[in-house]
Amino acid sequence: NNPIPVIAIDGPTASGKGTVASRVAERLSFHLLDSGALYRLTALQALRRGVELRDEHAIAKLAEHLPARFVGGDVFLNNENVTAAIRAEEVGNIASKIAALPTVRHALFALQLGFREAPGLVADGRDMGTVIFPGAKLKVFLTASVKARAERRYKQLIDKGISANMDDLLADLQERDERDTKRAIAPLAPAADAHLLDTSDMTAAEAVEQVLSWYAHA
Ligand code: CDP
Ligand code: CDP
């Protein structure tokens, strides 16, 4: 019964959640929660401090005391801008491993609820509509074929001047899909009341218009 509206955008990696969520937030002048960034920040901390992924207690501690700040489109750990660092594929893979730990999800729960501020919030991730904001005014589940998603990631990397191998990308993506959908806690799945949007043959702009139109009628 929180009156501040939430638009939940969930889906697998490279389905376009981040792009669509940030554009929708901009159009509505809503706040934005990139929940994946919180798992990535925790992963980056673990990587840098050499914390073993088996050490669930230590990883959860990192999540609990995450010195994260979001300024404009940038992400900071304390005063360090880690916007680019958290996007590394290695960090995404570790993020997906620690995201299966119940203690980590628990530690990040309240932090995520805190992003719900007037006039509204667009939240993107895996469990925005199912676990974090089950009362969201609009829930969207974005999908796209594995091939389309791997091609998007490939293009993003090449555009950033990072060399990439399509076969490795495909393998990583499928491994991460598998881990995210099969985990016991908050698995990636559309909420029962989510609108499904397959963007395999859509531009990001078209996906944004569809979401805005659903919201206008929600
Ligand atoms: O957040 P998520 O991992 O789901 O995806 P993203 O980081 O937003 O990356 C999606 C990439 O695919 C971006 O480079 C978009 O420009 C592009 N794209 C899209 O988001 N949606 C489409 N319908 C087509 C392309
Ligand atoms: O951009 P991409 O979709 O590849 O990943 P992300 O949204 O930045 O999330 C990184 C990882 O964090 C995912 O593979 C998930 O395992 C995890 N995650 C999650 O479990 N729950 C969320 N709400 C968001 C991310």
Side-chain angles (χ1 to χ4, degrees), residues 31-196:
H31 297 277
L32 180 67
L33 165 60
D34 170 4
S35 63
L38 302 177
Y39 293 92
R40 286 174 181 269
L41 284 165
T42 306
L44 183 64
Q45 292 268 68
L47 193 64
R48 286 183 172 178
R49 297 187 182 186
V51 175
E52 296 266 1
L53 298 189
R54 291 191 307 260
D55 191 348
E56 179 164 358
H57 180 71
I59 305 267
K61 272 238 137 47
L62 293 177
E64 229 167 276
H65 303 285
L66 206 57
R69 289 189 302 127
F70 293 82
V71 185
D74 284 347
V75 187
F76 291 80
L77 260 186
N78 294 309
N79 290 321
E80 183 192 354
N81 190 330
V82 292
T83 315
I86 61 165
R87 292 296 143 205
E89 289 300 314
E90 185 191 15
V91 175
N93 285 329
I94 295 174
S96 126
K97 285 181 188 155
I98 63 168
L101 304 173
T103 48
V104 169
R105 304 202 74 86
H106 181 78
L108 295 176
F109 186 76
L111 183 60
Q112 294 175 82
L113 297 186
F115 279 79
R116 188 175 195 168
E117 284 190 275
L121 175 69
V122 182
D124 96 68
R126 301 292 187 289
D127 62 343
M128 298 298 98
T130 50
V131 176
I132 309 295
F133 302 110
K137 189 155 179 212
L138 173 67
K139 300 178 187 179
V140 178
F141 195 84
L142 284 184
T143 57
S145 66
V146 170
K147 184 167 166 286
R149 292 188 285 125
E151 280 166 3
R152 289 174 190 176
R153 271 287 177 268
Y154 185 82
K155 186 167 181 308
Q156 276 180 318
L157 291 170
I158 298 300
D159 287 351
K160 279 192 272 186
I162 302 169
S163 69
N165 174 298
M166 193 52 133
D167 290 336
D168 292 348
L169 273 179
L170 268 170
D172 272 5
L173 200 135
Q174 276 166 314
E175 197 186 308
R176 194 126 71 88
D177 279 359
E178 166 116 357
R179 212 163 29 227
D180 288 350
T181 48
K182 299 222 170 123
R183 69 184 174 214
I185 182 164
L188 170 68
D193 51 351
H195 292 263
L196 303 185

